[in-house]
Amino acid sequence: MINLSGLNPPQRDAVTILSGPLLVLAGAGTGKTRVITYRMANLIAHGIRPDRILSVTFTNKAAREMRERALSLIGRQFKLRPEVSTFHAWCVRVLRDDIDALGYPKKFAIYDRGDQESAARTALRDIRLGDGAMKPGDLVNRISRWKMQGIQDFEASSHTETDFDFLAAMAYKKYQKQLRASGAVDFDDLLLLTVRLFQDHPSILQKNQARYDHVQIDEYQDTNGVQFRLIQSLVLPHKNLCVVGDDDQSIYGWRGAEVEHIIRFGDHFPGTRTVRLENNYRCTTDILACANRLVKHNRERHNKTLIAHKKSVSGVRLQVFDDEASEAENVVQEIAYLIQELGVKPKQVAILFRTNEQPRLFEQELRRLKIPYQLVGGQSFFDRREIRDLMAYLKAIDSPKDEVSLLRIINTPTRGIGETTTEKVIQNAVKKGISFWEMVPEAATAGMIPAKALTALHGFQGLLKRYADDMQQNPRQLAELSRRLMQEINYESEISKQYKEEAQQEARRNILEEFINSIGLYVEKNANASLSGFLESMALLDRDEVSEKDDKNGNDCVRLMTLHSAKGLEFPRVYLVGMEEGFLPHKRSIDEDTEKAIAEERRLAYVGITRAMDHLTLTRAKARMKWGKRRESVPSRFLYEMQEEPGQPLPEEHISKDESSNGSGGQSGPPAAGGFTPRSTVPATISRPATEEPNEFERPPF
């Protein structure tokens, strides 16, 4: 039996309920991962075969953490392991076995965002709609929302309310037809096609139901309609479903998440037992009091109040500045003081904001004061042109029908195949319902392809086929073969063409080296490595998370991130900036003027507040520049809602430009209640904590 003495009573209750539907309401910082992993270990200790347990979460990082913790509890002597996966990775495994029942090849390609937008552009052209009328990205977003609701391409026309939707529904059919013809699926298809597979083929559903005796779902508040249907169908025979989540942290409505799934869990699964985890080991009493008062203004929620286990080292502050420039200057000067004078590590500080345009001024100031920082959610390594080109080569090698990838690199680097020739071939291929390569001989006979271009096409097709054979026969040499491919196509010439400066060219070469290294690492970690497997692992990466490489290297820098990106993280010191109407809550939610829209913004503010472990500073500006004119700002309604006395704002520290600058180039101390204090003084509002790191004796390790 496993030792449960390290769990508090509610955690122990959740871990020892081993059958039937179970709802674990796990507030911020209450140890939900600890509960899920201990519960897995306890199921195994009670005789459940490890491989009969499925635990599903939303990110690869969370899945890895859950897997490692479970193995440390049950021991690594077990040959059979619990299946711990993301929703999308689990669906890929199901589809690889049986997607041919839906008419797709088992070796299907998974389109990323760039591929999707290329397919969307073609679909818009097919319905005679250019980029000016509808952007490919907007079409992809609309299709994604339909798919998350479980609406297929042939059903979309009956779910239209606007002219935009009507046109998007027409394009959706063309888009989906193109994907099917290319033997490809997009990220949302992974879920939607699994639901279709289960609905249309009961024997395949029964086969998957029979694989598991127990199912656990982490972050249940983030599930969308399609994920809910998958879960519901999978546990139908036994009802042994444990879900863990927090309705107060449901912030992904724009991705299709439906908070009603966790609020109505008991209605969906009769006989549900509910356990509330309310002991918070992350935040201080003052921080948690603000969070509790704020979120109680949401009507549709499970009743719970988090209890702090850490005393406050400083109160929650609200600082008010004349304008956005003053806000950025003062916050960054204060951070500089903390780092230079108090020895705070940059990585212990986070600046959180609601919208992507807010960090510009903060970045400017951080650079000016030479403070290391990372803007989380900037351009992904895999979104760079060079990486997208090489990924397209590998996709075209792996799946010759993948025309989106093929068309990206058919003349990159230049090989004498012009756009006119390519367009003629593809248009005729679409009309005849055949692939690009199937159309080439017919187009050549009809005189559509000049002799020089035809020679280049044959050479290009031969190159792809040769590397496909080599990579299939020598999967352990994937990295070396990819490096050789780069040399053979002379990708160096493309870098020289795109970037004129030697420093830029060298940076791109380093990026390509890192990409080849990533292939090598994949091969090292996978005994059954293959090109298809590598491409699949890339498609399922968590692109919007703080990079693991940075974490492993102990990247000591201030983090700038949106509130959405910050979920699941924690920092000793947090600055939540821009606490104004129009930012938080966001203007779109105010314009929508519904209780549901504002409730999600309130939960977003709650998530931001509960990222702070010891120190929380809220800031707002009295006025901001909008369309070239200075306009007064309105304090966020949430500042009133988190005050002890209803209807009263939090006590404000007003810091004007005159008070916050003494001409020393930002080298003075941080702002106190009345402005700056000399460097030799540690202001009352910036107290020196006993420790910036979590105290392991005060806070259980989860």
Side-chain angles (χ1 to χ4, degrees):
M1 299 299 285
I2 63 167
N3 182 1
L4 305 181
S5 61
L7 303 176
N8 63 37
Q11 289 174 334
R12 202 173 303 122
D13 288 344
V15 166
T16 53
I17 296 173
L18 300 180
S19 62
L22 171 64
L23 170 62
V24 181
L25 292 169
T30 58
K32 69 180 178 64
T33 306
R34 189 174 173 82
V35 164
I36 289 176
T37 51
Y38 265 84
R39 191 172 183 276
M40 262 194 286
N42 203 28
L43 283 166
I44 294 165
H46 280 78
I48 302 299
R49 248 175 55 185
D51 62 329
R52 305 284 300 171
I53 302 168
L54 172 66
S55 286
V56 181
T57 186
F58 279 81
T59 66
N60 294 313
K61 184 179 177 183
R64 280 192 296 274
E65 183 184 355
M66 199 183 294
R67 193 181 298 116
E68 285 302 312
R69 290 190 186 185
L71 290 177
S72 69
L73 287 171
I74 65 176
R76 296 176 184 270
Q77 73 276 14
F78 284 95
K79 288 185 180 178
L80 300 174
R81 302 283 173 85
E83 188 169 345
V84 183
S85 176
T86 64
F87 270 105
H88 290 90
W90 182 77
C91 286
V92 167
R93 285 199 285 277
V94 172
L95 293 173
R96 290 287 182 212
D97 288 341
D98 293 302
I99 196 172
D100 53 332
L102 297 176
Y104 285 80
K106 286 198 174 187
K107 199 177 180 180
F108 57 85
I110 304 172
Y111 276 4
D112 62 19
R113 177 72 185 205
D115 299 331
Q116 286 179 268
E117 290 194 8
S118 294
R121 190 171 285 110
T122 303
L124 290 169
R125 201 183 308 133
D126 286 349
I127 65 168
R128 305 289 190 271
L129 205 63
D131 283 8
M134 184 185 298
K135 292 179 182 174
D138 292 338
L139 175 59
V140 168
N141 291 339
R142 189 67 193 93
I143 291 172
S144 180
R145 287 200 300 276
W146 272 321
K147 288 186 176 182
M148 286 186 288
Q149 293 171 298
I151 298 168
Q152 298 180 68
D153 55 331
F154 55 85
E155 301 169 315
S157 57
S158 59
H159 293 80
T160 59
E161 296 178 0
T162 64
D163 290 344
F164 178 93
D165 280 358
F166 176 76
L167 293 169
M170 291 171 59
Y172 182 7
K173 288 180 183 177
K174 298 287 187 182
Y175 169 89
Q176 207 61 24
K177 183 180 179 182
Q178 187 182 344
L179 262 64
R180 281 193 289 264
S182 298
V185 302
D186 64 24
F187 217 53
D188 295 310
D189 280 333
L190 296 175
L191 303 176
L192 186 58
L193 292 177
T194 305
V195 168
R196 259 189 67 195
L197 197 59
F198 287 174
Q199 282 177 339
D200 298 351
H201 301 276
S203 61
I204 295 174
L205 170 60
Q206 288 163 12
K207 178 177 74 174
N208 282 279
Q209 287 173 333
R211 290 178 62 184
Y212 310 108
D213 296 321
H214 290 268
V215 176
Q216 299 188 140
I217 310 292
D218 186 21
E219 302 285 10
Y220 188 69
Q221 77 281 350
D222 293 337
T223 52
N224 61 35
V226 175
Q227 288 160 335
F228 174 75
R229 286 158 68 184
L230 278 174
I231 296 160
Q232 200 172 35
S233 60
L234 196 60
V235 303
L236 196 61
H238 52 71
K239 307 286 196 309
N240 291 329
L241 173 65
C242 169
V243 304
V244 182
D246 181 10
D247 49 308
D248 291 334
Q249 295 187 75
S250 180
I251 59 172
Y252 295 116
W254 52 280
R255 280 188 192 169
E258 298 176 29
V259 70
E260 289 79 11
H261 292 158
I262 193 166
I263 291 173
R264 310 268 178 261
F265 183 80
D267 299 334
H268 300 146
F269 299 94
T272 290
R273 284 181 280 184
T274 302
V275 175
R276 287 174 168 78
L277 305 184
E278 297 178 311
N279 293 283
N280 175 288
Y281 300 96
R282 175 191 300 157
C283 309
T284 64
T285 49
D286 284 1
I287 292 168
L288 214 51
C290 275
N292 283 331
R293 287 194 293 265
L294 174 66
V295 82
K296 275 184 167 55
H297 284 79
N298 278 352
R299 295 182 191 176
E300 284 284 304
R301 64 183 291 268
H302 287 287
N303 186 34
K304 56 189 174 299
T305 302
L306 297 189
I307 302 159
H309 283 250
K310 285 170 64 176
K311 291 183 180 178
S312 296
V313 290
S314 67
V316 174
R317 300 183 304 164
L318 169 59
Q319 294 187 329
V320 183
F321 302 98
D322 289 340
D323 53 35
E324 65 269 50
S326 179
E327 178 186 45
E329 287 167 12
N330 279 271
V331 166
V332 174
Q333 284 175 12
E334 180 167 303
I335 291 169
Y337 178 86
L338 290 168
I339 293 167
Q340 295 159 10
E341 300 296 325
L342 299 189
V344 171
K345 295 176 182 176
K347 68 179 179 181
Q348 295 169 337
V349 182
I351 302 173
L352 308 184
F353 41 85
R354 174 64 180 89
T355 66
N356 285 317
E357 62 266 23
Q358 284 174 268
R360 183 182 63 82
L361 288 171
F362 292 92
E363 282 195 86
Q364 188 176 299
E365 287 302 307
L366 287 161
R367 285 177 180 170
R368 187 173 69 83
L369 295 185
K370 296 181 173 55
I371 298 172
Y373 74 91
Q374 179 186 13
L375 178 61
V376 177
Q379 186 184 31
S380 164
F381 174 81
F382 294 94
D383 288 336
R384 297 177 191 276
R385 178 185 185 133
E386 300 75 30
I387 303 304
R388 293 191 59 76
D389 284 347
L390 288 180
M391 283 290 286
Y393 267 97
L394 295 180
K395 288 176 182 179
I397 288 167
D398 187 58
S399 179
K401 291 179 73 176
D402 182 355
E403 284 167 2
V404 165
S405 296
L406 178 68
L407 295 178
R408 180 182 179 92
I409 45 92
I410 198 164
N411 202 39
T412 303
T414 304
R415 54 175 58 89
I417 305 170
E419 277 186 33
T420 305
T421 299
T422 304
E423 283 185 16
K424 281 181 185 175
V425 175
I426 199 71
Q427 283 170 6
N428 281 276
V430 169
K431 282 179 189 175
K432 293 178 178 292
I434 59 177
S435 75
F436 179 90
W437 289 121
E438 288 170 331
M439 186 65 213
V440 167
E442 192 176 324
T445 304
M448 291 182 204
I449 308 175
K452 186 178 177 183
L454 185 61
T455 302
L457 275 169
H458 286 322
F460 180 52
Q461 186 178 23
L463 174 125
L464 297 180
K465 178 72 171 66
R466 180 158 42 85
Y467 275 93
D469 293 341
D470 286 350
M471 289 179 173
Q472 188 170 3
Q473 291 166 18
N474 305 288
R476 307 305 301 174
Q477 296 177 32
L478 271 180
E480 173 58 26
L481 287 167
S482 299
R483 187 185 65 79
R484 195 185 305 166
L485 171 67
M486 281 171 48
Q487 291 175 334
E488 186 169 343
I489 64 175
N490 190 20
Y491 195 80
E492 179 75 29
S493 66
E494 185 68 14
I495 291 176
S496 300
K497 186 171 84 174
Q498 295 294 332
Y499 307 101
K500 301 307 175 190
E501 294 180 17
E502 176 57 35
Q504 290 179 315
Q505 293 176 11
E506 183 62 29
R508 265 56 198 179
R509 291 186 201 104
N510 291 338
I511 288 168
L512 293 174
E513 181 185 359
E514 187 65 28
F515 178 65
I516 299 298
N517 291 343
S518 72
I519 300 175
L521 286 171
Y522 160 78
V523 172
E524 273 185 13
K525 290 180 180 179
N526 292 273
N528 300 316
S530 67
L531 177 56
S532 297
F534 172 72
L535 294 173
E536 184 178 297
S537 70
M538 292 298 100
L540 296 173
L541 276 179
D542 301 329
R543 300 278 168 88
D544 55 353
E545 290 189 349
V546 177
S547 96
E548 269 188 54
K549 188 177 174 185
D550 287 338
D551 288 345
K552 285 179 183 173
N553 292 345
N555 197 12
D556 194 10
C557 59
V558 174
R559 298 289 165 90
L560 278 77
M561 60 179 72
T562 64
L563 292 166
H564 286 102
S565 299
K567 186 171 177 289
L569 303 177
E570 58 184 34
F571 303 91
R573 295 179 181 270
V574 167
Y575 293 83
L576 179 46
V577 302
M579 291 295 295
E580 299 146 38
E581 294 286 297
F583 278 137
L584 192 62
H586 193 279
K587 183 180 184 298
R588 280 196 305 268
S589 301
I590 296 171
D591 292 344
E592 193 175 325
D593 194 27
T594 63
E595 186 175 328
K596 184 176 181 179
I598 297 299
E600 177 143 332
E601 291 292 303
R602 190 176 284 113
R603 291 193 293 269
L604 202 49
Y606 173 84
V607 165
I609 291 166
T610 53
R611 299 313 92 198
M613 297 162 65
D614 301 305
H615 305 269
L616 173 64
T617 300
L618 309 167
T619 73
R620 72 173 182 88
K622 293 179 185 177
R624 288 185 187 267
M625 192 70 76
K626 293 175 185 175
W627 296 104
K629 290 186 178 181
R630 178 78 48 205
R631 301 180 190 276
E632 284 190 17
S633 299
V634 178
S636 170
R637 67 192 73 186
F638 301 150
L639 295 173
Y640 293 82
E641 293 175 357
M642 66 179 79
Q643 174 58 300
E644 285 184 75
E645 296 180 27
Q648 295 295 314
L650 285 169
E652 296 180 341
E653 300 174 12
H654 287 273
I655 302 166
S656 69
K657 274 188 174 178
D658 292 340
E659 293 171 321
S660 65
S661 176
N662 59 10
S664 60
Q667 292 301 306
S668 58
F676 276 102
T677 53
R679 287 183 65 190
S680 57
T681 308
V682 179
T685 52
I686 306 289
S687 56
R688 188 191 301 273
T691 175
E692 286 288 355
E693 299 290 351
N695 186 329
E696 293 299 333
F697 295 100
E698 187 173 57
R699 174 172 180 253
F702 53 77

